[in-house]
Amino acid sequence: MEIIDRGTGKTVVTSSLNLSIAGVEQMFRHKNLIQTMNRIENHLLPTPPGVSPIPGHPVPSAGKSDRVDAADFDNSKHFTGFDTENDGTDFVFVHGLNINGDEARGVQAGIFKRLFWSGSRAHFWGITWYGWDSQPQSASVSVLVPPNIIIMFDMHTMPDYS
């Protein structure tokens, strides 16, 4: 915006509005442990000690790729600008049982928005893990909880492969 004095033709005030519009997922980091476990099961990564596949329960290659560094984001300039406003603390959100990769994205975005609008300026990390192993396509709850719990503990003991 510019205000010009008509009498002199000189600019009196100049102001700009820096605006970037992007989806909420461009505002927080995401780590997808589902893809990491899938690569371990398919021998694309070394198997960490204490982690072993559960027979009959393969981990799918599901969910979005990791968004950890600015280069991982579709709109890295938007993320970088937003990330500089954080207060240096971290908030890690790990979704619950019976939530697949797509549902986790929605839950993570919802939690991030609630925290942001309540005043939190922490770096938000959404962690996705494979916790819907035995969930039938027609039901909203998992029938067998033990495989999901074993997978959760396997993912907890994994080294960082990022």
Side-chain angles (χ1 to χ4, degrees):
M1 177 176 84
E2 201 172 57
I3 298 176
I4 300 172
D5 183 341
R6 286 187 183 177
T8 63
K10 292 186 179 185
T11 301
V12 178
V13 176
T14 302
S15 180
S16 64
L17 174 63
N18 295 325
L19 185 64
S20 176
I21 299 174
V24 68
E25 288 182 300
Q26 297 302 304
M27 300 169 79
F28 65 88
R29 292 168 173 82
H30 172 252
K31 179 69 178 167
N32 186 348
L33 297 178
I34 303 166
Q35 291 180 352
T36 304
M37 281 298 287
N38 175 270
R39 287 181 289 208
I40 290 170
E41 280 193 354
N42 289 303
H43 308 291
L44 302 174
L45 290 174
T47 303
V51 174
S52 58
I54 303 169
H57 298 275
V59 175
S61 178
K64 290 279 198 173
S65 298
D66 292 345
R67 292 186 319 273
V68 178
D69 298 314
D72 300 332
F73 288 78
D74 295 336
N75 188 341
S76 61
K77 189 175 179 181
H78 175 84
F79 172 76
T80 303
F82 180 78
D83 198 47
T84 58
E85 298 175 9
N86 290 328
D87 63 11
T89 60
D90 290 282
F91 183 94
V92 178
F93 176 74
V94 181
H95 67 79
L97 189 64
N98 292 319
I99 296 178
N100 66 33
D102 287 333
E103 292 166 339
R105 290 175 59 203
V107 171
Q108 291 165 357
I111 296 294
F112 169 78
K113 288 187 281 187
R114 287 181 181 102
L115 286 170
F116 180 80
W117 288 115
S118 69
S120 172
R121 294 299 179 261
H123 294 119
F124 182 91
W125 293 80
I127 310 296
T128 305
W129 63 284
Y130 183 45
W132 74 95
D133 176 80
S134 58
Q135 186 179 58
Q137 294 295 324
S138 61
S140 61
V141 295
S142 182
V143 178
L144 300 172
V145 173
N148 295 301
I149 301 302
I150 292 169
I151 291 168
M152 177 185 66
F153 282 113
D154 279 354
M155 289 184 173
H156 172 72
T157 61
M158 285 191 314
D160 182 14
Y161 285 115
S162 56

